[in-house]
Amino acid sequence: MSSVIATTAVRGRFLDIQNTVAQARDLHDQVRYVEDGLLLSENGKIKWFGPWQDGQAQLPPDLQVQHYPDQLIVPGFIDTHIHFPQTEMIGAYGEQLLEWLDTYTFPTEMQFADPAYAQKMAAFFVQELLKNGTTTALVFCTVHPQSVDALFEAAQQMQMRLIAGKVMMDRHAPEDLCDSAESAYQDSKQLIEKWHGKGRNLYAITPRFAPTSTPEQLARAGQLKAEYPDVYVHTHLSENKNEIAWVKELFPEQNGYLDVYHHYGLTGAKSVFAHCVHLEEHEWNCMHETDSAIAFCPTSNLFLGSGLFPLKKTWEKQVKVGLGTDIGAGTSFSQLQTINEAYKVQQLQGDKLSAFEALYHATLGGAKALELADKLGNFNLGKEADFVVLDLQPTALQQLRQSRAKGLEDSLFALMMMGDERNIHSTYIYGQCAYVKDHAA
Ligand code: GUN
Ligand code: ZN
């Protein structure tokens, strides 16, 4: 398959974060800015990257160069937590997590029993990711295996690198949305065999959250992880105070919420826990010791009134963290909007999220959280050529603000505070242009 991918060359202003071992929060030393750069991609991978004047000699003689003199090119955004079946229910009024699930989420997810409906929504979802410059995501499907097929088929058509899985849920939800410990195990196993490592697709074992799985089902999830150590685990953790109290009631023998997952073998380097707003100290330590990752979902945490995520603590405790939109509790597919809200969440805690740190979390940091930093996250040679061409001034107000920008960092920060899908000029997947703003439906 890879041999048919066209060689492409893109010239423009490139910005990425080079660091491979993040210990210090100040990333200024790791910022790589190439004012007039060239990225050559071959078979979907970065074959050459650097200043145009050094690279132009590398170009095959008849290769057309796509030039973006006025834009800014950054690595593709990585969304480390999102629900594709919740696309249609963004902005559902009035409830916090547990009531929101019962009132809005479960009825919406029921529709995905119909494969045709799942396919229609998967196609919309993938387009929405591309429109927002998101090139990789870790995605919740529904309990229905056909929802996973629909999503992976849509991703495969665009050659996108997605990680996804079937929800495992055998209690505390409507009967039509429940599987069993055994069927969840069998269905997930079949989906792993069918999709994990096929093209760019990767599979995640996806128990919804501890309250909707029996101990038997969590044990089966752990069994799957032991049988397929290379697949991911993706679930929710410590999002809402009522949820946490409920987990403590349901699993009194465990030492808190995270210990439920840990007990069943579901922590580890390829485990991603969405939210983690209210972790206790011993849980932070467990996250670090098991090399588990967090998806920080600011628009969702604010929308559902869940709380303020302490981003600074991830640096102190050396816990991997990426950004998640958490659609449909989150209110935007845009990583720029997500950064905007993340900044405000830190402000409310007396902390500062810098533009370069935010870019890191949205790209290389997200890749690290997903254990994909050898393939994604910056323009290093050999990585997959997924990137976004950003338009810095799609509106009169942004034009005015950008004209007053005091250098690159200020310009990037203003983009992050004001930007959204209007700022996505083009999105490239595997070196190929997969979306252009003006020509999109
Ligand atoms: N916890 C369990 N399920 C969900 C969900 O669908 N969304 C969010 N935000 N939290 C959850
Ligand atoms: Zn979620």
Side-chain angles (χ1 to χ4, degrees):
M1 187 169 81
S2 57
S3 60
V4 300
I5 300 172
T7 298
T8 55
V10 171
R11 178 181 179 185
R13 297 166 64 207
F14 289 86
L15 175 69
D16 71 346
I17 306 288
Q18 291 188 74
N19 116 312
T20 49
V21 185
Q23 301 292 339
R25 195 176 183 186
D26 183 350
L27 294 163
H28 279 89
D29 287 355
Q30 305 300 332
V31 173
R32 172 167 53 184
Y33 177 56
V34 184
E35 185 135 31
D36 184 12
L38 169 70
L39 189 152
L40 183 65
S41 99
E42 199 176 275
N43 288 327
K45 310 251 171 68
I46 299 172
K47 168 85 173 163
W48 198 90
F49 173 69
W52 165 256
Q53 62 183 38
D54 301 345
Q56 53 182 315
Q58 314 276 328
L59 291 171
D62 48 0
L63 186 68
Q64 208 191 327
V65 179
Q66 188 70 47
H67 192 191
Y68 298 103
D70 303 323
Q71 283 76 22
L72 180 68
I73 305 172
V74 300
F77 296 135
I78 296 178
D79 189 335
T80 59
H81 180 68
I82 184 164
H83 299 248
F84 106 79
Q86 296 176 16
T87 303
E88 66 193 81
M89 51 165 287
I90 295 179
Y93 174 75
E95 305 294 352
Q96 295 213 349
L97 177 65
L98 300 176
E99 298 74 23
W100 174 87
L101 284 170
D102 288 336
T103 312
Y104 299 113
T105 313
F106 293 151
T108 302
E109 293 194 2
M110 297 236 195
Q111 303 170 99
F112 289 74
D114 173 4
Y117 191 76
Q119 283 161 15
K120 189 170 116 187
M121 296 315 294
F124 186 93
F125 173 81
V126 163
Q127 273 309 308
E128 210 53 35
L129 292 179
L130 293 172
K131 261 188 186 179
N132 283 280
T134 299
T135 51
T136 283
L138 173 57
V139 188
F140 258 68
C141 300
T142 63
V143 75
H144 316 97
Q146 53 271 36
S147 71
V148 181
D149 288 335
L151 182 67
F152 278 140
E153 278 159 15
Q156 205 160 39
Q157 276 188 12
M158 302 309 301
Q159 301 213 336
M160 276 178 92
R161 188 174 276 292
L162 285 196
I163 313 172
K166 180 201 111 69
V167 166
M168 304 172 78
M169 174 159 73
D170 65 346
R171 64 170 168 176
H172 299 138
E175 208 181 313
D176 285 356
L177 268 190
C178 283
D179 51 16
S180 67
E182 179 61 22
S183 75
Y185 171 83
Q186 294 297 347
D187 287 348
S188 301
K189 193 179 176 84
Q190 276 187 16
L191 289 165
I192 291 169
E193 295 282 348
K194 184 171 178 183
W195 290 112
H196 185 68
K198 184 161 180 201
R200 299 181 82 190
N201 294 324
L202 296 166
Y203 195 83
I205 299 164
T206 309
R208 178 169 218 117
F209 66 155
T212 49
S213 286
T214 58
E216 295 70 38
Q217 187 171 70
L218 292 173
R220 293 296 253 169
Q223 184 188 342
L224 267 179
K225 176 64 185 173
E227 288 171 2
Y228 298 93
D230 187 49
V231 306
Y232 291 81
V233 173
H234 184 199
T235 189
H236 298 93
L237 172 64
S238 289
E239 177 177 3
N240 165 289
K241 292 202 169 149
N242 293 339
E243 169 212 20
I244 296 167
W246 194 20
V247 173
K248 288 182 176 172
E249 255 171 55
L250 291 168
F251 297 91
E253 63 285 8
Q254 253 61 72
N255 182 23
Y257 197 162
L258 177 56
D259 191 45
V260 175
Y261 298 132
H262 188 59
H263 175 78
Y264 289 105
L266 297 171
T267 49
K270 287 193 167 181
S271 293
V272 180
F273 297 99
H275 305 293
C276 299
V277 174
H278 308 286
L279 289 185
E280 294 173 27
E281 199 64 17
H282 68 97
E283 295 180 309
W284 279 103
N285 294 339
C286 178
M287 291 294 291
H288 172 77
E289 283 154 18
T290 58
D291 199 21
S292 301
I294 296 172
F296 169 27
C297 307
T299 74
S300 167
N301 294 340
L302 294 174
F303 182 73
L304 292 181
S306 302
L308 303 177
F309 175 73
L311 183 63
K312 195 172 160 190
K313 194 101 181 176
T314 64
W315 291 101
E316 288 164 10
K317 292 287 185 179
Q318 290 291 302
V319 174
K320 296 178 298 188
V321 61
L323 292 173
T325 58
D326 194 28
I327 296 296
T331 50
S332 172
F333 272 82
S334 169
Q335 287 289 1
L336 299 172
Q337 279 294 298
T338 304
I339 289 167
N340 171 345
E341 302 279 275
Y343 176 80
K344 295 168 191 168
V345 167
Q346 302 323 303
Q347 278 283 44
L348 283 165
Q349 299 173 93
D351 185 36
K352 287 183 183 149
L353 172 60
S354 74
F356 291 142
E357 184 188 343
L359 177 67
Y360 169 77
H361 290 308
T363 57
L364 185 61
K368 286 186 186 188
L370 301 182
E371 293 287 311
L372 288 171
D374 58 330
K375 297 185 175 64
L376 302 174
N378 61 21
F379 300 126
N380 288 357
L381 297 191
K383 289 206 188 186
E384 296 170 355
D386 293 348
F387 52 90
V388 198
V389 182
L390 296 167
D391 189 352
L392 268 63
Q393 24 199 305
T395 66
L397 182 59
Q398 289 194 58
Q399 207 173 352
L400 176 68
R401 175 63 179 86
Q402 289 294 341
S403 74
R404 303 296 192 271
K406 298 177 184 66
L408 177 66
E409 193 168 3
D410 186 33
S411 166
L412 184 65
F413 183 70
L415 165 79
M416 288 164 164
M417 294 306 105
M418 303 173 79
D420 55 30
E421 70 184 57
R422 293 169 298 181
N423 294 73
I424 308 302
H425 180 288
S426 308
T427 303
Y428 279 73
I429 300 281
Y430 247 16
Q432 316 298 307
C433 187
Y435 166 79
V436 181
K437 187 170 67 175
D438 295 335
H439 301 290

